[in-house]
Amino acid sequence: MNHFTPQQWQALLDAGVREPQPLHLADLSVPFVYHRAVGVIHCGAGKHRLAMSLLLAFAHGFGSGIEAGEHLGLDFPDETADRWLETTLGAAFRSSVGRKVQAGKRSHLTMVEKRWLGEIQYLFDD
């Protein structure tokens, strides 16, 4: 299920993530980043923004979230993570402090994803 280059995967590991799992098999009670194309990526407490920033970087052909932020005119990691969440179809996360799963836009998740993810807080308008 790992669709990353070795360099990308190493960057994700360095950011404190674990091997992706399918949505229907993953433990959604702990911090994670969900990407439809990859699955559920569990991450350490406070590491979800780094993981989302890296996913934005990879989508734009950059090697790091800092590099993506510089090229896209965004602050790292907050704005880079938010941009990934707002613009990526099938994206959501749970932080170590949040009670609900958070997602970008309601229209970016399928009914099946919404069912599996449970109660969701949407951060951006459709």
Side-chain angles (χ1 to χ4, degrees), residues 30-98:
V30 297
F32 68 86
V33 172
Y34 171 69
H35 187 338
R36 180 182 298 147
V38 178
V40 173
I41 305 169
H42 290 103
C43 47
K47 302 291 186 177
H48 64 283
R49 289 207 166 273
L50 294 174
M52 291 189 292
S53 293
L54 280 170
L55 293 170
L56 176 74
F58 301 160
H60 287 274
F62 301 114
S64 74
I66 294 171
E67 185 181 3
E70 289 172 354
H71 281 85
L72 299 172
L74 302 170
D75 288 334
F76 170 82
D78 293 334
E79 289 182 353
T80 51
D82 286 348
R83 175 69 59 88
W84 179 80
L85 188 65
E86 183 178 13
T87 60
T88 303
L89 296 177
F93 74 95
R94 177 187 299 279
S95 74
S96 56
V97 296

Side-chain angles (χ1 to χ4, degrees), residues 1 18-27 34 38-42:
M1 184 152 201
R18 293 181 293 207
E19 186 74 30
Q21 296 181 329
L23 179 58
H24 67 284
L25 297 178
D27 178 0
Y34 171 69
V38 178
V40 173
I41 305 169
H42 290 103

